Amino acid sequence: MTTVRVSAFSISTDGFGAGVEQGLDNPLGRRGEELHHWAFGTRTFRGMFGEEGGSDGVDESYAARSMAGLGAWIMGRNMFGPVRGAWPDDSWKGWWGDNPPYHVPVFVLTHHARPPIEMEGGTVFHFVTDGIESALAQARAAAGERDIRIGGGVATIREYLAAQLLDTLHLAVAPVLLGQGEALFHGLDLNALGYHVAEQVAGENAVHLTIARRA
């Protein structure tokens, strides 16, 4: 059965999923990369970019699980790239080069239509202009029995949480205080929305929390 999930989403200890001043030279915002240090050295992360070696252990187990069994991704336009407003041309094809690490259909939420982009390795970016439920329906059709991963960013995850469309949310809580940025849970009452903390495990460089929707 298909699970709609967020996996390996890094947040600061004070609850921010990205720093301020995001842009072409700083896609995660100021100090945003500090949130992801737990993942950078894992065997899974290094393998995604053609590198050998990497750590094993708790952090690696969550990194590996985050990439397993996926049939489709959904992401917001800000995660896809820094371009705002109408697409000026078709030159921007994501941050990840010719062979992105997805290898399945990816549905990008946007207000501006654009033809699909076929990349190397099986990744196809589809641009969805009619909302999160339409993107989810298209992702379900593409994924079959496999899972759908909501990749981010913060605003996209908040939309799916508020609509109670997420089954599970795995957070890697980094030992970092950003002080400001994009707050993941601001204004959301997860308990009232039917979510609970199903698991917490201390990793080598982050604390891993799994939040699940109650049955």
Side-chain angles (χ1 to χ4, degrees):
M1 180 178 177
T2 297
T3 297
V4 181
R5 57 181 166 102
V6 170
S7 298
F9 191 81
S10 301
I11 65 169
S12 64
T13 300
D14 49 351
F16 296 104
V20 296
E21 300 174 8
Q22 291 170 278
L24 182 60
D25 296 325
N26 205 12
L28 301 175
R30 182 152 43 87
R31 297 183 58 212
E33 284 196 5
E34 295 178 39
L35 305 180
H36 304 273
H37 284 174
W38 72 272
F40 290 157
T42 62
R43 186 178 301 276
T44 292
F45 187 88
R46 290 176 63 85
M48 286 167 58
F49 295 94
E51 300 176 3
E52 297 182 355
S55 65
D56 291 310
V58 173
D59 289 344
E60 161 59 17
S61 71
Y62 278 94
R65 193 186 310 177
S66 76
M67 298 300 294
L70 297 175
W73 285 66
I74 297 172
M75 67 175 63
R77 179 165 172 177
N78 287 3
M79 182 173 173
F80 179 73
V83 182
R84 302 293 182 263
W87 302 100
D89 51 47
D90 292 333
S91 60
W92 182 263
K93 298 181 180 180
W95 303 100
W96 309 279
D98 293 332
N99 190 355
Y102 303 107
H103 310 302
V104 293
V106 179
F107 297 88
V108 181
L109 295 161
T110 178
H111 295 295
H112 301 275
R114 182 176 174 180
I117 306 172
E118 295 189 19
M119 307 293 287
E120 295 177 11
T123 301
V124 181
F125 292 111
H126 300 272
F127 299 89
V128 180
T129 59
D130 51 351
I132 63 171
E133 294 192 11
S134 174
L136 183 55
Q138 293 178 58
R140 286 190 188 279
E145 295 296 315
R146 292 174 295 169
D147 289 350
I148 299 165
R149 181 168 167 180
I150 310 297
V154 169
T156 297
I157 292 173
R158 286 172 54 82
E159 282 192 83
Y160 278 98
L161 274 172
Q164 299 172 285
L165 294 173
L166 274 180
D167 296 314
T168 63
L169 170 65
H170 163 232
L171 300 175
V173 184
V176 173
L177 297 173
L178 284 188
Q180 56 184 328
E182 292 189 57
L184 182 59
F185 296 128
H186 179 72
L188 292 178
D189 185 339
L190 295 189
N191 186 59
L193 289 169
Y195 291 94
H196 70 111
V197 177
E199 181 180 66
Q200 66 173 28
V201 178
E204 295 80 13
N205 297 294
V207 174
H208 299 276
L209 298 177
T210 301
I211 296 170
R213 189 167 56 181
R214 296 188 187 92

